Amino acid sequence: GLYLYIVYSIPLTGDDPDAAIPSPCKPGQHSRWQFNPASDCQGESAQFTLTTLDPATETAIRNLIENTRDWNPVVFDTYTPSEGLTCHPDDMDILGRVNLFSSDGTQCYIRTHPDNYNIFDMTDCTHPENPCGFTSWRNPIVRKKEGGQPIYFNYRAVDQPFWDSSRHHLKKIGRLTDTVMFRDLSNEMRLDEVAKYFGGLQSSGGESVVVCGSRNEVSNDPSLGSLFGLEIWNHDNSGAVLNGASVRENVFFAIALHAKDQLRQRVAWALSQIVVVVPDQVESGWIQSENFLHFYDTFVEHAFGSYRDILKEITYSPMMAENLSFLNSKSGGYLFETQGKYAFADENFSREIMQLFSIGLFLLNDDGTEKVDENGIPIAAYTNDEIMSMARIFTGFVPPSLRGNTEEAMGIFRNALDETVIDPVYHDRFPKHDLTGGYIGDG
């Protein structure tokens, strides 16, 4: 099953008590606050000490908090505008621990760690290989669930610095009491069982299904048995390491050395050195083989075809979307409308598809030499404005649905073979300008 916990008691500075925390006055700063009764910040029983602030700073922060659009009853988040706040200059850089009264004096606002009272899927930290680096003899995440303890996870109960080094292994679901759309859940949680539990699904099919194979795949032969549940783990029963990279290398060399279409294989190899997916950038990249072989088949199939077809296919590839971090990228409009965040679309793929995969950094003459201006300086093919515009194209690309007849590894269930799907809710719906002064899609 899944290991879901509400995290609390993370110190404002995380694992480092001496760390410097940016001031809430800093432009673009994300801060999280708790509502507490005013009595918690005054008198003999006070749990928190009020922060001594310049009056201008105190007014600016209080206005930011009380004008927020976030009405979560447990914690609420503020995002300082890009032009900043009218704080005192001494308070602009480092002003970590901020506790102050509300304007009516009935509440005390306590600045807390931005992950406190988030709900996380901690399942990845329960793997026997201990990716989160727990030093105790028993994994505290597993121990807590086995002991039937509450779903609250006290950071201070962990026996060594944990958060800053292991945060990337945890999948954030949302804040306590938030309403989360099913579409926003991680792939591992977007299951029939979860939908059915919350009344979103009336019936569910069986655990196994028969589906058509992938591109150029040998057809299924039911007479061979072992129809369902192919799963690759990192060790076999003898303890020997099973390296998925070796599996795909064996397949590649067998074809590259013995296939009759040697020219096609060599062109495909050359193309694969231009349009690259890095195993370290892909989940279970060093374990699985089928997803990489399927991606490589793109170059084999289009070796004598159109490079435009290659670019289109790799754009919709879950492997490339994960590799260059635009998988599940959301438009700035969606993030502002739903979370009050000021954010830009992920620019990784939009930059690389121009710089590395197609036109390069500079305009070229027909003979391949660089075009230069009147001062002899090469003319840039695009600017950062074009990168930001192109990035908005690649928002809303979400993973394809899970299906049978695919390789699974170490309990990681995903479909990295079929094309990604564009979710119109996440996709940027506004015009995007091109490289010639017009707009993409103009006739």
Side-chain angles (χ1 to χ4, degrees), residues 187 277 281-283 291 294-295 313-328 397-401 414-421:
N187 291 345
V277 166
Q281 298 297 111
V282 179
E283 188 175 25
N291 48 8
H294 183 271
F295 182 80
E313 192 157 331
I314 63 103
T315 296
Y316 282 94
S317 166
M319 297 286 285
M320 181 59 72
E322 188 175 358
N323 176 66
L324 288 180
S325 63
F326 68 99
L327 189 66
N328 292 315
F397 283 66
V398 299
S401 300
R414 64 186 184 129
N415 178 359
L417 304 181
D418 300 327
E419 291 184 347
T420 55
V421 179

Side-chain angles (χ1 to χ4, degrees), residues 321-338:
E322 188 175 358
N323 176 66
L324 288 180
S325 63
F326 68 99
L327 189 66
N328 292 315
S329 177
K330 301 173 180 63
S331 70
Y334 173 83
L335 292 174
F336 180 77
E337 291 170 2
T338 60

